[in-house]
Amino acid sequence: MTAASSRRRPPSQLRTLASPEAIALVLVAVVVLLLAAVAASLGGQDRPAATAPTGAPPSPRPSSTPVPASPGVGQAVIGRLVDANSQLAGLQVELETALADGAPASEVADLLRRSNTILSGARAAVELLAADPSAAALAGQLDAVYEGALRVNRQTLQAGLSNAAAYRSGAQGLLAMLGPLAQLDRSLRARAESPTP
């Protein structure tokens, strides 16, 4: 090989180094390094926050103690019960009149169904009243009257309308169950009028 041909090799080797394949390898290496740097910087953001100094007061946590009901809620419940008791007192008068006049079973049944609607609403309200410990005893007495009256009505309404005696007996039983309601209603009204502590 001549000296002239040996002197031409370096430019050929440079062209090999500057080939597209070599450039692509360099670019891939640069991209990999950049991605590694970005991943490292993002990983640093996931570090847990520094804890507060030992002497710092602990952050407040929500209390699990139930918040007492406002007086307005209690008064609203008492108002619903007083209204229900007033409606039941009116129904008592209607029932007594129907029995005295010998009203048909269908008329008595209508009065019993009306009382069922009122009694069901009263029982829902008395459950709210029972949540107040100072009214629990009164709520229990009222609920016993409401529940007993509903039980009598359910038994009576199972009879056919042709059984006038069953409806007459059921109406009398309802009046007996509602007997203590007047005194309990007076206690309820007195509670509503008493000053809130």
Side-chain angles (χ1 to χ4, degrees):
M1 183 179 294
T2 62
S5 62
S6 64
R7 283 196 298 269
R8 294 194 202 101
R9 274 183 191 171
S12 175
Q13 291 177 355
L14 289 176
R15 283 196 299 270
T16 302
L17 291 175
S19 66
E21 292 82 0
I23 294 173
L25 286 174
V26 172
L27 289 176
V28 168
V30 171
V31 169
V32 169
L33 289 174
L34 286 175
L35 289 176
V38 170
S41 64
L42 289 177
Q45 294 178 0
D46 295 334
R47 294 176 183 172
T51 56
T54 306
S59 58
R61 295 182 178 179
S63 174
S64 59
T65 305
V67 179
S70 64
V73 174
Q75 293 299 319
V77 171
I78 291 175
R80 285 171 57 186
L81 289 170
V82 167
D83 182 60
N85 293 341
S86 297
Q87 294 180 58
L88 290 171
L91 264 173
Q92 285 177 273
V93 174
E94 291 186 61
L95 265 178
E96 290 168 350
T97 302
L99 291 175
D101 294 346
S106 59
E107 184 177 330
V108 175
D110 287 341
L111 291 173
L112 297 184
R113 292 189 188 96
R114 281 173 53 196
S115 68
N116 273 353
T117 302
I118 301 168
L119 290 164
S120 297
R123 288 203 75 191
V126 87
E127 287 181 6
L128 300 174
L129 182 67
D132 181 355
S134 66
L138 178 58
Q141 293 174 311
L142 285 166
D143 191 54
V145 171
Y146 300 146
E147 196 277 331
L150 281 168
R151 185 174 61 251
V152 169
N153 283 355
R154 282 194 297 268
Q155 293 173 351
T156 304
L157 290 170
Q158 289 176 357
L161 291 177
S162 59
N163 192 348
Y167 279 89
R168 185 174 186 83
S169 174
Q172 291 170 342
L174 176 60
L175 290 172
M177 285 301 307
L178 294 177
L181 192 58
Q183 178 59 46
L184 294 174
D185 187 65
R186 283 192 287 271
S187 300
L188 191 65
R189 292 172 186 268
R191 181 178 182 82
E193 295 169 359
S194 62
T196 305

